[in-house]
Amino acid sequence: MLDKLAAVESRYEEICARSEQPDFYEDPKKAAAYLREKNDLEPIIEAYQAYRRAEQDMQDAQEMMADPEMKELCQQTYTEAKQTKEELFRQLQILLLPKDPNDEKNVIVEIRGGVGGEESALFAHSLFRMYSMYAAQKGWRVELMNYNETELGGVKEADFVINGRGAWSRLKYESGVHRVQRVPETESGGRVHTSTATVAVLPEMEEASVELDPADIEMQVYRASGAGGQHVNKTSSAVRLIHKPSGIVVACQEERSQLQNREKCMRMLASKLYEIEQTRIQSENDGMRRSQVGTGMRNERIRTYNFPQGRVTDHRIGLTLYKIDAIMNGAIDEIIDALATADQAEKLQNNA
């Protein structure tokens, strides 16, 4: 690891020297790339410098322990410096892990009702509300793409973009089947029902990020349905794109303009094709195919929301929190932090 850190420090010093040259900004794109790399390396350099200071403090304290009058003070300094050095070593291990290139991207979220009929649609609406409130807390913007309601206020399907720096780094752990256990509003006997909804989270990709042949895409237009203002059912502004080679279908009806809806569809299509390619690569590396959503059955769950007991359990890491009201109001950082920590631990073990 120390060899890696020395190489990182050398690269950082090289970029700093380059940025001081008078012709640095002659190529703005290259200059911006250098500055982004410099910003990415700075946390590593700061931690590495602190690590070496702690190492030097340990060495100085050890040398001064020969003086009987200074021994006790030096022993305390040595112990504190050693503890700091060990903490910084663990921090540096994490900082040196390969960075997900999509971490800073926006995300596309797709929520679908699963098992449980109308109750699953009502739960899907609860999840949409939860993620919308989480985005608001982060200062991110929610941009609807496709939203189909049921008569009782549930959601058959909700597709939306969360625009915000670092959205993918936080929400990439949310893909999978979410299970709810509660007494439905439609249940008169007070019995607890179990239902599911599926969530898929994709990093938002630009069209330029994925090869898209216009000849492979069939566009259909139709009239928007559901809530949406006076334009509903009067103009064919809604757009559906069919990617013929893969069979992927994406739709958007939330904008008044057909052109705007098509643009959103193209972003969603690019993101789905990117995800398919990444899954294929992962499948080759892991020797198995992993699916974000699965089939929506109860036993393929990542998380359970149990309302009678007031608990939420994430089954991937065995975390249970008894604060379901706060979580449903968007307070999911504690879960995400735990998932990110577990992910880092697994990567450290694999890199060991």
Side-chain angles (χ1 to χ4, degrees):
M1 188 182 85
L2 294 178
D3 290 339
K4 283 185 183 178
L5 288 167
V8 169
E9 186 176 45
S10 176
R11 176 60 177 166
Y12 181 77
E13 290 172 353
E14 179 188 334
I15 295 172
C16 289
R18 180 73 186 87
S19 66
E20 293 172 1
Q21 297 300 313
D23 63 342
F24 180 69
Y25 288 100
E26 284 185 2
D27 186 337
K29 286 187 178 179
K30 189 176 288 186
Y34 275 127
L35 292 174
R36 278 196 302 271
E37 186 179 359
K38 180 174 176 285
N39 289 336
D40 288 342
L41 295 179
E42 274 178 355
I44 303 175
I45 297 302
E46 289 173 3
Y48 183 37
Q49 290 173 346
Y51 175 86
R52 287 192 301 192
R53 285 196 299 271
E55 201 170 42
Q56 186 63 51
D57 289 345
M58 287 175 62
Q59 184 178 332
D60 293 344
Q62 199 163 27
E63 289 173 357
M64 295 176 66
M65 280 185 198
D67 185 343
E69 295 182 0
M70 298 288 292
K71 186 174 181 181
E72 185 176 345
L73 178 61
C74 290
Q75 182 63 55
Q76 182 181 347
T77 301
Y78 179 87
T79 302
E80 290 173 355
K82 183 182 178 184
Q83 183 179 353
T84 300
K85 180 186 170 185
E86 290 171 352
E87 290 172 357
L88 287 164
F89 183 83
R90 288 191 291 271
Q91 184 180 336
L92 284 164
Q93 282 183 308
I94 293 171
L95 287 170
L96 286 173
L97 287 173
K99 190 176 179 183
D100 186 334
N102 296 318
D103 270 352
E104 297 302 306
K105 290 187 182 296
N106 303 330
V107 295
I108 293 176
V109 184
E110 300 176 330
I111 300 176
R112 301 286 184 272
V115 173
E118 183 62 38
E119 169 61 7
S120 72
L122 291 168
F123 178 51
H125 176 269
S126 298
L127 291 176
F128 172 72
R129 178 179 176 275
M130 179 182 79
Y131 292 124
S132 297
M133 294 183 76
Y134 179 68
Q137 292 166 19
K138 293 290 183 184
W140 299 338
R141 181 170 57 88
V142 174
E143 180 185 355
L144 270 181
M145 302 181 78
N146 193 37
Y147 189 86
N148 291 324
E149 294 180 287
T150 65
E151 291 182 0
L152 296 181
V155 174
K156 292 179 182 177
E157 54 186 30
D159 302 330
F160 53 101
V161 181
I162 294 181
N163 296 278
R165 185 175 179 183
W168 171 253
S169 70
R170 301 298 291 168
L171 292 171
K172 60 186 173 183
Y173 305 107
E174 292 302 295
S175 293
V177 175
H178 296 240
R179 183 176 74 164
V180 64
Q181 294 172 324
R182 65 183 178 185
V183 179
E185 296 174 15
T186 54
E187 169 61 50
S188 58
R191 291 179 299 127
V192 174
H193 286 225
T194 298
S195 305
T196 65
T198 61
V199 176
V201 182
L202 311 172
E204 185 188 33
M205 310 302 293
E206 298 296 330
E207 290 178 51
S209 306
V210 180
E211 289 186 22
L212 286 173
D213 186 345
D216 292 338
I217 301 171
E218 177 186 340
M219 186 174 93
Q220 299 175 351
V221 296
Y222 58 100
R223 292 181 179 180
S225 60
Q230 292 183 352
H231 72 294
V232 173
N233 293 328
K234 291 187 178 180
T235 60
S236 297
S237 59
V239 171
R240 182 184 296 112
L241 296 183
I242 302 170
H243 186 252
K244 290 181 279 190
S246 65
I248 292 173
V249 179
V250 295
C252 183
Q253 63 174 17
E254 296 303 318
E255 299 293 340
R256 292 177 179 269
S257 160
Q258 187 182 113
L259 186 63
Q260 289 174 311
N261 281 327
R262 183 187 182 280
E263 182 185 339
K264 285 188 175 183
C265 279
M266 290 297 287
R267 282 153 51 197
M268 184 183 285
L269 180 58
S271 299
K272 282 178 171 286
L273 290 172
Y274 174 84
E275 191 269 339
I276 286 174
E277 178 62 15
Q278 293 305 302
T279 302
R280 184 189 66 79
I281 293 170
Q282 185 183 47
S283 175
E284 290 178 355
N285 292 340
D286 295 352
M288 61 180 290
R289 180 173 180 82
R290 293 177 180 174
S291 170
Q292 280 194 333
V293 176
T295 58
M297 299 304 290
R298 293 186 180 93
N299 61 345
E300 296 177 338
R301 64 190 184 277
I302 64 166
R303 193 175 298 154
T304 294
Y305 305 74
N306 186 300
F307 279 80
Q309 297 178 17
R311 66 173 170 85
V312 175
T313 298
D314 195 289
H315 304 287
R316 294 164 292 180
I317 53 176
L319 174 69
T320 295
L321 299 174
Y322 288 89
K323 47 178 74 173
I324 195 165
D325 290 339
I327 288 168
M328 298 312 296
N329 285 329
I332 58 175
D333 265 329
E334 188 172 351
I335 298 174
I336 292 172
D337 287 341
L339 288 164
T341 300
D343 186 36
Q344 290 170 346
E346 185 177 348
K347 287 175 180 175
L348 284 171
Q349 188 175 1
N350 292 337
N351 285 2

